[in-house]
Amino acid sequence: MVDTAPSLFFRVGTDDASRSAFFERLVDVFYEGVATDQVLLPLYPEQPDLTGARHRLTVFLIQYWGGPTTYMEERGHPRLRMRHFPFHVGPLERDRWLLHMAAAVQTVCDDVAVPAEVSAELMGYFVPAAEHLRNDTGLPITSANYPRT
């Protein structure tokens, strides 16, 4: 069975410019929250300038949801766990990230005329992805920054 449904990227706009604008707005609203979050902001090495992080997340989400492959062209395979491994990502960081992303999803989906299921589909990815990036388990694969007893 082949899935012939249009990707989420194609469902959030009428052309590539409006589709990309949806993800740009999502990332902008998300980073507005991160910029004032005392738990998350210190995790960004370039902070308070979040320009690079905004760009990387935007092109990643566009590619992930079926749009142009700019992320792959610029950075190669996403390797999300590896890229986040140097940063302590525990339950608190995961929850703060999800708080800001859920608020961004709600804001952007309410502002833009997108199908109702888009919000649920986005969060259906973001929740397990945020958990997947946790690296504070205490196991040997744990981030080097995690204190060991």
Side-chain angles (χ1 to χ4, degrees), residues 9-73:
F9 179 76
F10 285 95
R11 290 182 281 136
V12 297
T14 57
D15 56 29
D16 282 357
S18 65
R19 294 172 187 128
S20 293
F22 173 87
F23 288 99
E24 289 165 4
R25 174 87 171 114
L26 178 69
V27 170
D28 284 346
V29 173
F30 168 74
Y31 275 109
E32 287 170 10
V34 170
T36 61
D37 190 302
Q38 298 306 310
V39 171
L40 294 181
L41 188 60
L43 298 177
Y44 291 84
E46 300 166 346
Q47 59 95 7
D49 181 8
L50 299 172
T51 306
R54 286 176 188 252
H55 172 73
R56 290 185 295 273
L57 182 56
T58 300
V59 295
F60 169 76
L61 292 176
I62 288 171
Q63 176 177 305
Y64 181 84
W65 293 106
T69 58
T70 306
Y71 184 92
M72 185 75 83
E73 293 161 12

Side-chain angles (χ1 to χ4, degrees), residues 70-90:
T70 306
Y71 184 92
M72 185 75 83
E73 293 161 12
E74 291 179 1
R75 305 204 21 107
H77 190 281
R79 302 181 307 221
L80 293 180
R81 277 187 64 87
M82 184 199 77
R83 292 186 193 278
H84 290 83
F85 204 65
F87 312 103
H88 177 264
V89 181

Side-chain angles (χ1 to χ4, degrees), residues 37-45 81-97 130-138 141-148:
D37 190 302
Q38 298 306 310
V39 171
L40 294 181
L41 188 60
L43 298 177
Y44 291 84
R81 277 187 64 87
M82 184 199 77
R83 292 186 193 278
H84 290 83
F85 204 65
F87 312 103
H88 177 264
V89 181
L92 179 60
E93 292 80 8
R94 175 205 58 209
D95 292 348
R96 299 298 301 168
W97 191 94
E131 177 61 24
H132 177 71
L133 295 178
R134 278 190 49 208
N135 59 17
D136 68 339
T137 63
I141 60 167
T142 298
S143 170
N145 295 330
Y146 185 78
R148 302 184 192 282

Side-chain angles (χ1 to χ4, degrees), residues 104-141:
V105 167
Q106 181 175 359
T107 297
V108 174
C109 288
D110 287 351
D111 288 351
V112 179
V114 295
E117 71 275 2
V118 167
S119 177
E121 195 170 338
L122 288 166
M123 292 310 298
Y125 168 74
F126 289 135
V127 171
E131 177 61 24
H132 177 71
L133 295 178
R134 278 190 49 208
N135 59 17
D136 68 339
T137 63
L139 298 173
I141 60 167

Side-chain angles (χ1 to χ4, degrees), residues 1-14:
M1 182 171 180
V2 176
D3 183 5
T4 59
S7 70
L8 187 135
F9 179 76
F10 285 95
R11 290 182 281 136
V12 297
T14 57

